[in-house]
Amino acid sequence: MLRVLETPLYLKGTVVPGFGRGSKMLGIPTANLNEETLRQHKLDETANGIYAGFAAVGTSEDVYHAVLSVGWNPHFKNERRTAETWILHDFGRDFYGDELRVMIVGYIRPEAAFENIGTLIQQIKMDAEIAKKELPRLSGRDDPFLKYV
Ligand code: ADP
Ligand code: RBF
Ligand code: MG
């Protein structure tokens, strides 16, 4: 279901435009991080996968549950590696250009390619259910890393 990481992974960077595939329209907006954030050695190829963690945006102190995908998006045969975070909170606005801080505490599954887009979306929604169920018992939401400095 979810494997708790021995050492959390920390991502901090600027929210940049993604591929514009309309994931927001599908109810799954994913905040893409700038490429420099992906270049840290802890996020090498072995780190590719689907994760759960805690996220904070901009100068806000609020911490939310999040699911994210790190890697090549095999379903779309991408040529660019990305880290995209779906924060499980309704912001009602965009926050391109803001700082995004994510503390990854659990591993859910490897990235995969699916029969069709509907199956991919179903799977992502199941990832979110796992995160909502497991994250409340995991520590991390008070980590100083999530605070804006
Ligand atoms: P893009 O292809 O540019 O990444 P998306 O359709 O994936 O576009 O939407 C992502 C954008 O939506 C984020 O960059 C952010 O500005 C905004 N957004 C609003 N609510 C959320 C949320 N709960 N989680 C992630 N991004 C959100
Ligand atoms: N893309 C894939 O190609 N394969 C996946 O298994 C996959 N899993 C994802 C899981 C989560 C929790 C999230 C937020 C995204 C995932 N994606 C995956 C990325 C998804 O294809 C991408 O967000 C949209 O295509 C918009 O760029
Ligand atoms: Mg996106």
Side-chain angles (χ1 to χ4, degrees), residues 12-13 56-63 97-101 143-149:
K12 185 187 285 193
V57 173
T59 58
S60 172
E61 297 264 299
D62 298 332
V63 173
D98 281 10
E99 181 180 276
L100 171 64
R101 302 174 292 285
D143 196 287
F145 174 83
L146 292 166
K147 302 246 185 318
Y148 182 75
V149 284

Side-chain angles (χ1 to χ4, degrees), residues 24 31 107:
K24 205 180 301 174
Y107 172 85

